[in-house]
Amino acid sequence: MIEDIELETLINEIYEYYGFDFGSYSRASLKRRVNRVYQLDGFTHFDEFLSKVRYDSDYFKHMVDEITVNVTEMFRDPFFYTVIRNQILPLLGTKPFIRIWHAGCSSGEEVYSMAILLKEAGILNKSLIYATDINAKVLETAKKGIFPLRMMKEYSENYRYSGGKEDFSSYYIANYGIAKFNDELAQKMVFSQHNLVSDTSFNEFDLIFCRNVLIYFDNDLQKRAISLFDESLSVLGFLALGTKETIKYSISPGKYKQLDNEKIWRKIK
């Protein structure tokens, strides 16, 4: 197990060698994740681990992938998707073109959930979903649209609870224990690496998702990320966060209106 002072050394070295700034991440969460990698990869001395991170760029990428993996699922929190389906998509549907950003998209389950909602609302054809993550490895998974077949029963239930009326299995092809989602959905997605800590805004969006990512950041970095979303969101656009996340302390009062006690806010000015 690595000590607190060793974690600080690691953070500083990563910033100096690679320009990745983990300094604003929640220390408890970061330490837990780094210790997991440290143990899984069989290290017993911190100096050996630090040297590997420093001088082996492939190992560094592996470490970043391991410590930034997020747990996700399709139609997670079904009532949240009911609000998206019934209250937000009818409003977005009046626009000539719809841009959506999934920040911290992980392996893509929520991106495909959104594409299904857009298809059922009849507006997928005029939508584009930008899906970004710091983790290159999970982005490769997300691009393929391939998920374990064993998860489909749970995802199908989530879908139904969110108001879905179609046969969920019509959205994927099952083969050899995997579910491959339809290319029609993937054609409206753009996947790319983006670091919420250091990268800037890259477009104007009508809807931004960043669910259960900010909980890993300290207060200053949460404010920085929400400021980035605010800058990237069109007036009357929507921002959706995770169940334990808020914009309350980051945005001036009166600029956003919260929907239905869900973690969704509309930018009103």
Side-chain angles (χ1 to χ4, degrees):
M1 301 286 280
I2 68 169
E3 303 297 327
D4 289 349
I5 191 166
E6 291 171 335
L7 181 65
E8 296 306 316
T9 302
L10 178 67
I11 289 168
N12 292 335
E13 293 283 313
I14 287 172
Y15 185 67
E16 188 177 324
Y17 275 76
Y18 297 101
F20 267 66
D21 185 2
F22 284 108
S24 298
Y25 279 64
S26 157
R27 288 299 188 273
S29 171
L30 187 62
K31 186 178 180 184
R32 190 169 61 248
R33 287 163 176 240
V34 170
N35 267 320
R36 177 180 164 274
V37 179
Y38 184 86
Q39 290 176 309
L40 280 175
D41 292 346
F43 289 99
T44 51
H45 299 290
F46 176 72
D47 288 346
E48 183 189 354
F49 174 64
L50 186 62
S51 179
K52 186 79 169 168
V53 170
R54 232 190 234 150
Y55 300 119
D56 185 338
S57 60
D58 287 337
Y59 183 76
F60 167 70
K61 287 175 191 164
H62 157 76
M63 186 203 70
V64 170
D65 287 346
E66 288 299 320
I67 66 176
T68 58
V69 169
N70 291 314
V71 177
T72 185
E73 62 187 56
M74 293 190 77
F75 295 95
R76 175 170 50 179
D77 308 323
F79 183 70
F80 166 88
Y81 281 96
T82 304
V83 174
I84 298 284
R85 186 191 289 277
N86 296 334
Q87 295 185 40
I88 294 177
L89 292 191
L91 294 171
L92 294 187
T94 63
K95 289 176 165 281
F97 192 73
I98 303 159
R99 286 187 181 87
I100 296 168
W101 178 17
H102 278 265
C105 70
S106 193
S107 43
E109 284 86 342
E110 292 194 82
V111 183
Y112 281 86
S113 303
M114 190 64 215
I116 288 169
L117 289 192
L118 292 166
K119 179 174 167 53
E120 293 185 358
I123 54 178
L124 180 63
N125 61 315
K126 62 173 182 175
S127 302
L128 197 57
I129 305 174
Y130 294 82
T132 66
D133 202 280
I134 190 177
N135 187 325
K137 190 173 170 184
V138 296
L139 280 173
E140 285 305 313
T141 303
K143 280 180 191 174
K144 292 172 185 166
I146 292 174
F147 306 111
L149 190 59
R150 60 185 162 76
M151 299 304 298
M152 291 306 119
K153 183 175 183 293
E154 182 184 339
Y155 293 172
S156 176
E157 287 173 1
N158 285 354
Y159 164 76
R160 278 203 311 280
Y161 289 135
S162 78
K165 303 283 196 298
E166 304 298 322
D167 177 0
F168 187 68
S169 65
S170 68
Y171 290 115
Y172 62 84
I173 296 166
N175 209 352
Y176 299 110
I178 61 166
K180 168 79 169 73
F181 277 75
N182 301 345
D183 288 342
E184 179 192 6
L185 303 174
Q187 282 168 3
K188 308 304 291 188
M189 302 171 186
V190 176
F191 290 94
S192 66
Q193 213 167 356
H194 184 277
N195 186 342
L196 289 173
V197 178
S198 57
D199 293 341
T200 55
S201 176
F202 58 94
N203 215 321
E204 185 175 75
F205 298 95
D206 305 296
L207 173 58
I208 297 175
F209 291 86
C210 185
R211 303 184 71 213
N212 305 303
V213 176
L214 301 184
I215 50 174
Y216 300 112
F217 296 172
D218 71 11
N219 289 337
D220 287 344
L221 185 50
Q222 285 184 22
K223 286 178 182 174
R224 200 190 319 172
I226 287 170
S227 176
L228 170 64
F229 298 146
D230 180 48
E231 188 187 327
S232 306
L233 197 62
S234 61
V235 175
L236 300 181
F238 297 89
L239 174 62
L241 301 180
T243 51
K244 295 176 182 170
E245 298 163 340
T246 184
I247 66 169
K248 192 191 297 186
Y249 309 109
S250 309
I251 297 285
S252 55
K255 194 172 185 183
Y256 283 77
K257 182 183 177 188
Q258 192 170 0
L259 271 69
D260 275 1
N261 294 320
E262 276 299 300
K263 293 299 179 132
I264 304 170
W265 288 265
R266 191 173 198 191
K267 185 175 180 178
I268 55 178
K269 61 183 178 183

